[in-house]
Amino acid sequence: MDTPWGPLAGLKLDDPEEAVKILAADKHQLIEGLVVESLFDQIVASVPESTEQKIIALDVDSAVIDTMRRSERWLCLVWARTESEGLGRYLQALEKCVTPYLVRYRNGEFEAVRICEGRRAGKYRPLPELMQEMSGSRMTRFEVDPAVRNVNRQKQAFWGFLSEHYGNRLGNRVVLPRILMNCGIQPYFRRVWNLDRVFISGNSVWIFEIKHKYPIVPNAHISPGPLQFGINDGELGMLQKLSDAGIRCLHTILVKPVWSKDAGSMYLLNDLAMRSRAAVIALALDSSTIRRIMGGQSGQSAAHTSITGKSTLSYKKIPVSDFSVLGRFSDPPQDIARRIAAIMAETAMPRATDMWISDLRKFVP
């Protein structure tokens, strides 16, 4: 597979210098998001210990694609680094709503095979060949606007955490997933969504999404109302499709103490006081909840919120009061994990309030 840095098979993916060059092609907020996801993983690792229900974390990267085609419009590419227990249940659940393909990385190339009735149907094919066929050979290089690629923030996230944390797993865990998305999928399709984490709980499939952002503050003079968080219409529609097949989503938000897009994520590592101001809240999205949210009026976000930083997005608003409290980021991971397990078990949890979120806000000069 070709990449802007040369053939994929020839890249030194575990070389930090090569890795930071590749990751620099993404938004700085996406790179900072990888830091948040990794820290959240350390919390989620305690979830199985917090419940009597067996919970399995799948070692997969998943990309849901709306091809806009008449037949087999929706696809899901699942890169399973390890084919562990629960993978079959996940693929079978996906088959109820999309056409799944199992992806593997072999000899420096990505390959994919269609899944039918939980089994491989045919032989693995080079991913670029499959994408060209599915897209009608339409391909546009995926590029991110330089305005949303702050080099300093990218380097801080990479050298300040990602490089050290992942070590010799850097290529497999961080760089390859971005190459798969940016070079293997998004040049062919623009309506693509990455599923952060996948868990099997009993007979249920859960998607865990973690966002790092601050609430929408209403203008008291123009449109007074509660604090709200936005969720993109496209993402919501994708989650609706999954939820109709019984796949649930835990939509988790790590609330920034500083309500500004200029605030990064490194405070989570080096500022204990700010960690204690970072609220962790979550909302279980099932089919009925998603339909209710989708019934609301859409807003238009600024271009910097899109994956390329070049286009606006339509979004719906979710009141803060819809979310359950998981705690603060400074809480012991086991406590947050226990509350996550409680939400998954449909146990009533304390709701977040505007006052609580506002009291945690940090004003900076």
Side-chain angles (χ1 to χ4, degrees), residues 2-60:
D2 291 330
T3 79
W5 310 278
L8 175 56
L11 299 181
K12 299 177 181 178
L13 300 176
D14 290 324
D15 180 352
E17 295 293 345
E18 184 107 312
V20 74
K21 180 173 63 176
I22 293 170
L23 294 177
D26 269 311
K27 291 173 60 175
H28 58 261
Q29 288 179 327
L30 189 147
I31 307 305
E32 291 170 341
L34 297 178
V35 175
V36 174
E37 288 178 14
S38 178
L39 295 173
F40 187 64
D41 282 344
Q42 296 174 45
I43 295 173
V44 169
S46 298
V47 171
E49 306 167 6
S50 305
T51 176
E52 296 179 357
Q53 178 73 59
K54 184 177 181 180
I55 297 178
I56 304 169
L58 298 187
D59 187 14
V60 298

Side-chain angles (χ1 to χ4, degrees), residues 248-302:
R248 302 187 67 184
C249 173
L250 188 71
H251 185 66
T252 310
I253 297 178
L254 177 60
V255 185
K256 287 185 175 184
V258 177
W259 295 4
S260 167
K261 65 182 178 65
D262 297 324
S265 61
M266 297 310 290
Y267 72 91
L268 296 169
L269 303 172
N270 56 32
D271 193 328
L272 294 178
M274 290 290 276
R275 286 164 63 103
S276 68
R277 287 180 172 271
V280 188
I281 59 178
L283 172 63
L285 295 175
D286 56 18
S287 188
S288 61
T289 302
I290 293 174
R291 277 197 296 270
R292 173 174 57 81
I293 296 170
M294 291 184 73
Q297 185 176 359
S298 291
Q300 289 290 320
S301 66

Side-chain angles (χ1 to χ4, degrees), residues 155-179:
K155 289 182 176 180
Q156 286 171 2
F158 183 82
W159 295 111
F161 179 78
L162 295 174
S163 177
E164 177 68 22
H165 177 73
Y166 286 100
N168 59 11
R169 300 177 299 138
L170 183 65
N172 189 262
R173 293 289 168 177
V174 179
V175 183
L176 272 177
R178 297 314 310 155
I179 290 177

